[in-house]
Amino acid sequence: RLRKLFGRGRGKQAGKERERMLRLVAAANLSLGDEEYQAVRSSLALALAGILAWFLGRTGQGGDLVLLGAVLGLLLGLLIPGLAVKNRAKARAGAILRELPEIMDLLIVSVEAGLGFDAAITRLYEKNKSPLTTELMKCVRDVQMGLPRRESLKALAERNQVQELRTFAAALIQAEQLGVPIKKILRSQANQLRQAYRQRCEAQALKAPVKMIIPMVVFIFPVLFIILLGPSAEQIMEMF
């Protein structure tokens, strides 16, 4: 009932915003459709508004404050699901990006050992059910259910926000079209991923001195000033 009730007003929302949120829900690995997400969002908003209004009313607050609490709960309920989905999608994308070079190397070893591409992914998924292997296994299951590999790889790229994974899916699609051995594509992608990983590490290392300035100014420099200038300040105070 909630899905039907809150799904009727979805025509007013812009199509781009709706598609963006659906992509974030898919990137967060949540099995929620548009109506389900809006139902959860609206239900949480109404629940928070009612709880805050009831709590303020029980404490003997005025009507204006109760109304303000209800409005605040309504806004929080509308914002919290979106923020939670964004944070989950961002954390999952970071995990995929970190493990992509390692998984690529393991795929190369498995394929060179004689396993097929799908069998190699299945073996990795059985050993480690990480976010990346889960996404790759979804692609394999789509192929097993009759979906063309090209379409399954496109779906893999669409539901993830990691550019490196999208590039990998595009390379596999191109390899299938041109008949290039998948072993060469995996090795080429692994070299590119290792180079990109090295560049990200170097960039993070260059940012470290800038990030250290604030804690040094707040916590370290005051202590040094007290140690170095404390005796001098005491002598100056005795002179006056």
Side-chain angles (χ1 to χ4, degrees):
R1 291 180 181 178
L2 286 172
R3 286 172 50 188
K4 294 180 181 180
L5 177 63
F6 295 112
R8 293 174 182 173
R10 297 291 293 141
K12 298 180 180 180
Q13 186 179 4
K16 292 183 179 180
E17 180 66 21
R18 176 175 175 270
E19 292 178 359
R20 184 184 67 85
M21 184 53 63
L22 289 178
R23 285 196 298 268
L24 283 175
V25 171
N29 197 28
L30 298 174
S31 58
L32 291 176
D34 182 41
E35 293 183 355
E36 288 84 356
Y37 172 76
Q38 293 302 323
V40 171
R41 185 168 176 254
S42 303
S43 300
L44 181 61
L46 293 176
L48 287 179
I51 290 173
L52 283 178
W54 174 82
F55 178 76
L56 293 175
R58 292 281 295 179
T59 56
Q61 303 295 332
D64 295 339
L65 191 58
V66 172
L67 180 60
L68 180 62
V71 173
L72 179 61
L74 189 65
L75 293 176
L76 288 176
L78 293 176
L79 292 176
I80 287 175
L83 294 176
V85 171
K86 289 180 182 178
N87 290 333
R88 180 182 172 89
K90 185 177 180 180
R92 197 165 184 270
I96 290 175
L97 185 60
R98 285 191 300 270
E99 66 179 345
L100 190 55
E102 180 182 357
I103 295 297
M104 193 66 62
D105 291 336
L106 293 175
L107 282 177
I108 292 175
V109 173
S110 300
V111 171
E112 289 181 347
L115 289 177
F117 182 66
D118 293 349
I121 292 176
T122 304
R123 179 66 60 86
L124 291 178
Y125 178 75
E126 292 175 353
K127 299 294 184 180
N128 181 19
K129 293 179 175 59
S130 63
L132 178 56
T133 56
T134 301
E135 288 296 328
L136 294 176
M137 194 62 197
K138 287 180 181 179
C139 183
V140 172
R141 286 170 178 169
D142 289 341
V143 174
Q144 292 174 350
M145 294 178 64
L147 188 69
R149 186 177 299 276
R150 181 179 179 182
E151 298 299 327
S152 66
L153 291 172
K154 284 184 178 180
L156 174 68
E158 290 176 357
R159 66 174 175 260
N160 286 278
Q161 304 295 321
V162 182
Q163 183 60 38
E164 286 78 359
L165 186 57
R166 293 182 174 184
T167 304
F168 172 64
L172 290 179
I173 293 173
Q174 187 176 9
E176 184 179 4
Q177 292 176 345
L178 300 177
V180 179
I182 194 171
K183 186 187 302 183
K184 294 183 179 180
I185 298 297
L186 291 176
R187 189 169 295 280
S188 174
Q189 290 294 313
N191 293 332
Q192 294 180 8
L193 288 171
R194 280 193 294 268
Q195 183 178 1
Y197 180 75
R198 189 179 302 110
Q199 292 175 353
R200 287 196 301 271
C201 292
E202 292 175 354
Q204 292 294 329
L206 293 176
K207 294 178 182 179
V210 179
K211 295 180 179 180
M212 291 173 61
I213 291 177
I214 295 179
M216 288 180 65
V217 171
V218 175
F219 299 106
I220 298 177
F221 286 167
V223 178
L224 291 177
F225 290 153
I226 292 173
I227 295 174
L228 296 176
L229 301 179
S232 301
E234 185 178 359
Q235 294 177 4
I236 294 173
M237 292 176 62
E238 290 177 357
M239 292 175 59
F240 292 98

